[in-house]
Amino acid sequence: LYYHSDSNSDMSVTSTLKHFFRRAKLQFYIFTASDYTDAYARFMDDRMETDPQMAVGEFNGMGQGQFDYLVSRGLEDNDTLLEIGCGIFRAGEHFIEYLDRENYIGLEISEETIQTGLRRLDRELVERKQPAVHNNNDLKFKEVNGKVEFIIAHSVFSHTPREVISECFENVGDIMHDTTEFYFTFFD
């Protein structure tokens, strides 16, 4: 365990210990689960039940930033968007509001995260826009009917095993047009 003191040392110790225990809990789930995907789903379900804000981090405009970026890249309201790892709809709430009815598709590994997100969203918005949100444990895209114009996977691949990332790229072409744009982040 590495600790570096700064002017707000109590907060640094607390943050460091929380991070250490979250990592230890994830390692426990990995050790006891059938595979990494199952472990991560259980880990996220647990985090959503104990501390939803910590589970997904700060909002502070991140979702708005993702939305603004895709609009600047040509996302139009009549396009269909797939969000891999939609979480509690930090970006999804903006996409759902903007896109035409039934043009938002969200995939999420954690059912508890989806339910928390749906409770956050305005019920009228969900009823009016009818987003398709699926709890899934692979990236074969069998939940997606037809093709999409945009795909976003923000902060998904950085904590995904390489074989699952490979699975994504092996299958994603099935739901893409020649002009589909796929945006993702990856930090090794």
Side-chain angles (χ1 to χ4, degrees):
L1 177 65
Y2 173 76
Y3 168 68
H4 173 73
S5 179
D6 64 14
S7 61
N8 192 0
S9 59
D10 287 342
M11 188 58 142
S12 295
V13 170
T14 302
S15 296
T16 301
L17 288 174
K18 282 183 177 180
H19 178 77
F20 174 77
F21 286 114
R22 276 195 314 270
R23 284 288 169 209
K25 186 178 273 190
L26 176 58
Q27 291 304 316
F28 170 76
Y29 283 130
I30 290 170
F31 182 72
T32 60
S34 59
D35 61 28
Y36 183 87
T37 304
D38 177 54
Y40 200 78
R42 289 173 49 202
F43 175 69
M44 285 305 296
D45 284 346
D46 181 64
R47 289 183 72 192
M48 291 308 296
E49 290 173 5
T50 56
D51 190 354
Q53 187 60 38
M54 276 301 292
V56 297
E58 295 294 323
F59 277 68
N60 295 340
M62 185 177 292
Q64 182 70 51
Q66 293 171 48
F67 170 77
D68 291 344
Y69 180 75
L70 288 192
V71 169
S72 78
R73 302 299 303 160
L75 178 69
E76 296 180 357
D77 58 357
N78 63 336
D79 288 329
T80 300
L81 169 84
L82 168 64
E83 184 176 15
I84 301 170
C86 61
I88 63 169
F89 310 106
R90 181 178 13 206
E93 65 184 331
H94 304 286
F95 294 126
I96 293 166
E97 177 65 40
Y98 176 74
L99 294 169
D100 289 346
R101 181 181 172 93
E102 299 179 352
N103 282 13
Y104 174 87
I105 305 165
L107 300 179
E108 174 57 47
I109 196 170
S110 165
E111 180 62 32
E112 186 63 33
T113 302
I114 291 170
Q115 295 308 314
T116 300
L118 289 173
R119 286 190 296 273
R120 278 188 63 253
L121 293 176
D122 178 51
R123 183 180 299 239
E124 186 276 327
L125 173 67
V126 174
E127 290 173 7
R128 180 171 40 92
K129 295 294 187 141
Q130 294 292 300
V133 182
H134 305 279
N135 175 237
N136 77 329
N137 62 0
D138 62 40
L139 291 175
K140 296 179 181 173
F141 307 110
K142 58 188 172 289
E143 301 87 357
V144 179
N145 296 319
K147 306 222 182 248
V148 300
E149 285 75 34
F150 282 84
I151 303 169
I152 187 168
H154 180 80
S155 193
V156 172
F157 296 148
S158 299
H159 46 259
T160 302
R162 302 246 192 265
E163 60 270 12
V164 177
I165 297 170
S166 294
E167 177 181 69
C168 174
F169 287 107
E170 289 167 8
N171 293 289
V172 73
D174 296 340
I175 61 165
M176 295 175 73
H177 300 287
D178 290 340
T179 58
T180 297
E181 297 186 32
F182 184 178
Y183 296 93
F184 59 90
T185 56
F186 182 81
F187 300 100
D188 196 7

